[in-house]
Amino acid sequence: MRGRVLAAYVTAMCVSGLDATIVNPALFALAADLGVPPAAANAVESAFLASLAIAMPVAGRLCDRYGASRVFLAALAAFTAASGLCALSWDLGSLVCFRVLQGAAGGVLTPAGMAMLFAAYAPEERMRLSRHIVVPTALAPALGPVLGGLLADTLSWRWAFLVNLPLGAAALLAGAAAPRPAPAPAPGMGGGAGGGRLDVRGLLLAGGGSGLLMYGLNQAAAGMSPLAWAALPTGAALVWALVRQARRAEPPLLDLGLLADRGFLRGAATAALSAAGLLGMLFAFPVMYQDALAATATDAGLVVFPEALGLMAAGFLVDRACARWGERRVVAAGLLGGAALFAFLALAEPGPWTLRAVMFAVGLVLGQAVTAVQVSAFTTVGPRVMGRAMTLFQSLRMLGGGLGVGVCAAAAALAGYPAALLAAAAFLLAAYGAAALLRPAATVAREAGTTG
C-alpha cells in the first residue's frame, strides 16, 4: 500500500515539474491567439510564480491541522482542475486568474506531498526512495520545453495545460487508494510553526503587494498606462507594510528576522536574484526566438531543452567543484559566466546548435552556483528554525523569479528583446554582488588569515 503513496507523490511532482517548463515555448502562440502583445504574456508566468510563493508558508499549517494526505489530495485536485480551467480561458485576464489558482495549489502540493511521503516511510528508508524519485522528477521539467513546443505547433497552446489532466487524475487515484498516516508537519516548509495562528494580515499584504507589482509590470509590458504607474508604487507600499507586519506578528507568515543571519541573507538574496535572471531569460528567449527569428514553438523548445540537462549535470558535479575550487569561486564563476552567456544571447546571432550549447552551459554553471550558495546559506541555520528558513528561502526565490519575468517582459516591450536578455544578465550580476558583499564576517576574516 505504501507504494501507492510513492506513486502518487512521484506522479504529482512530475505534473508540477512539467508545468513549470511546458508553458514558455507556447507563450508566443498563446499571445497571438488571445490578441495580446507577446511580452504581455509574461503575466501567465509571473502570476503563477507569485501565488506559488505566497501559498508555500500556509502548507505546513494546513498539514498540521488536516493531515498531509488530505491536504495533498485537495491541492492536487485543485491544481488539476485549475489546469483544465487554464485550457478553457477566453482571454488573458481569465488565464491569469486560473494560473493564480494553479500556483496557489502548486505551492501547497509539494510540501504536503513531502510530508505525506515522510509519514509513510521511516527515516532509515527515505534515502532508498531517491532512486525512485530523482530520475522521473528531473526528466519531467527537462522534457517540458520540447513537449510544449510540439503541442503548440501540432494542436494548440491549450494542450500545454490539458496534458496535466490525465497525469493529475492518475496521481489522484493512486493517492486516494493509499493509506492515511497520522498527520505530520511538512518538512522544511514551516511545519514546525504550524501550531501558531495563521498570519492572515501578512497573507493579504503578501498577496496584494506581489499581485500589484506583477500587474504593474504586466501593464508596462503591454504599454505604460496610468494603471501601471498606480499599481507599482502601491504594490511596493504593501510589501513594505508586509515587512513591518512580519516584525509584529507571532508567528509571522514569513519570518524575515532570519535574514539577520548574514550567511542566510547572502544565500536568499543570491538565489532570488539568480531566479529572476534565469526565469526572465527563459521567458524572453523562446518568445524572441519565435517573434524575431520566425521560428516555430518546437524549434524554441528544442533550443531551450539543453538548459534542463545542464541543471541535471550540475547536480552531479557541484560537490566535486566546491571541493576543488571552493564555494566562493564556484558561485562567482557560475553567476559571472551566466551573465556573459545571457549577454551573448542578446548581442550575437548564433545558429541553433550553438544556442543549444549555450543553453546547456547556462544550466551547468548556474545550477552549480545556486546549489553551492544554497548549501552555504543553511550551514548556520539551527534545526529549530530550519522549517521557517526553508519556507522563506523558497518563497523569496519564487518571488524573485516572478519579478524577473515581469521586468524582462517590460524591457522587451519598451526596448526590444536584447534589452530583456541584458536585464536578465543584470540580475545575475546583482546576484554576484550579493554573494560577494554579504559574506559573513567570520568567513571574510578566516580567508584573510589564510592569505595573510
Side-chain angles (χ1 to χ4, degrees), residues 56-57 60-61 186-196 246 249-259 264 268 378 381-396:
M56 280 181 178
R61 292 178 175 87
M189 287 294 168
E250 186 58 45
L253 179 73
L254 293 171
D255 190 354
L256 300 181
L258 293 167
L259 297 176
F264 182 74
F378 285 89
V381 175
R384 188 176 60 84
V385 296
M386 182 62 73
R388 283 176 282 159
M390 184 61 76
T391 299
L392 179 61
F393 188 93
Q394 296 294 354
S395 294
L396 290 177

Side-chain angles (χ1 to χ4, degrees), residues 135-149:
V135 173
T137 55
L139 280 179
L143 294 174
V146 180
L147 182 59

Side-chain angles (χ1 to χ4, degrees), residues 220-241:
M224 285 302 289
S225 68
L227 287 175
W229 291 117
L232 289 171
T234 305
L238 290 178
V239 170
W240 175 247

Side-chain angles (χ1 to χ4, degrees), residues 145-146 285 289 297-307 345 351-360:
V146 180
F285 184 80
Y289 199 62
T298 304
D299 293 334
L302 288 170
V303 164
V304 173
F305 166 68
E307 182 270 340
L345 292 174
W353 283 104
T354 302
L355 287 173
R356 292 184 182 109
V358 169
M359 287 294 175
F360 179 83

Side-chain angles (χ1 to χ4, degrees), residues 360-381:
F360 179 83
V362 165
L364 186 66
V365 298
L366 286 184
Q368 292 185 80
V370 173
T371 301
V373 82
Q374 178 171 342
V375 171
S376 176
F378 285 89
T379 54
T380 57
V381 175

Side-chain angles (χ1 to χ4, degrees), residues 56-330:
M56 280 181 178
V58 182
R61 292 178 175 87
L62 291 175
C63 289
D64 286 346
R65 182 165 185 177
Y66 300 107
S69 295
R70 290 187 181 88
V71 173
F72 171 80
L73 290 174
L76 179 59
F79 187 92
T80 305
S83 298
L85 292 172
C86 288
L88 297 175
S89 301
W90 53 91
D91 59 18
L92 183 63
S94 62
L95 178 56
V96 168
C97 289
F98 296 142
R99 280 291 269 177
V100 168
L101 294 176
Q102 193 183 32
V108 174
L109 180 65
T110 300
M114 191 181 298
M116 178 185 72
L117 194 67
F118 277 30
Y121 289 86
E124 61 272 14
E125 298 177 292
R126 293 170 189 169
M127 188 61 68
R128 296 198 301 271
L129 295 176
S130 61
R131 66 175 179 267
H132 302 292
I133 295 172
V134 170
V135 173
T137 55
L139 280 179
L143 294 174
V146 180
L147 182 59
L150 284 170
L151 290 172
D153 283 339
T154 57
L155 295 170
S156 164
W157 62 265
R158 298 177 189 275
W159 280 90
F161 298 104
L162 288 173
V163 73
N164 290 339
L165 300 185
L167 292 172
L172 279 169
L173 288 174
R180 295 284 188 277
M189 287 294 168
R197 199 169 66 179
L198 178 63
D199 180 12
V200 177
R201 191 176 197 179
L203 184 63
L204 294 174
L205 288 171
S210 61
L212 284 172
L213 286 174
M214 301 306 171
Y215 176 76
L217 290 170
N218 177 253
Q219 288 295 307
M224 285 302 289
S225 68
L227 287 175
W229 291 117
L232 289 171
T234 305
L238 290 178
V239 170
W240 175 247
L242 172 64
V243 173
R244 293 174 62 86
Q245 170 67 13
R247 294 173 179 170
R248 295 193 299 262
E250 186 58 45
L253 179 73
L254 293 171
D255 190 354
L256 300 181
L258 293 167
L259 297 176
D261 181 330
R262 195 174 173 90
F264 182 74
L265 172 63
R266 171 182 180 260
T270 303
L273 290 167
S274 299
L278 179 60
L279 295 182
M281 183 279 291
L282 290 176
F283 162 78
F285 184 80
V287 176
M288 179 188 79
Y289 199 62
Q290 295 172 76
D291 192 13
L293 303 178
T296 65
T298 304
D299 293 334
L302 288 170
V303 164
V304 173
F305 166 68
E307 182 270 340
L309 298 181
L311 286 176
M312 292 171 63
F316 292 101
L317 297 175
V318 64
D319 287 345
R320 280 175 283 183
C322 288
R324 182 168 183 178
W325 293 297
E327 181 263 357
R328 184 164 60 94
R329 291 187 178 91
V330 170

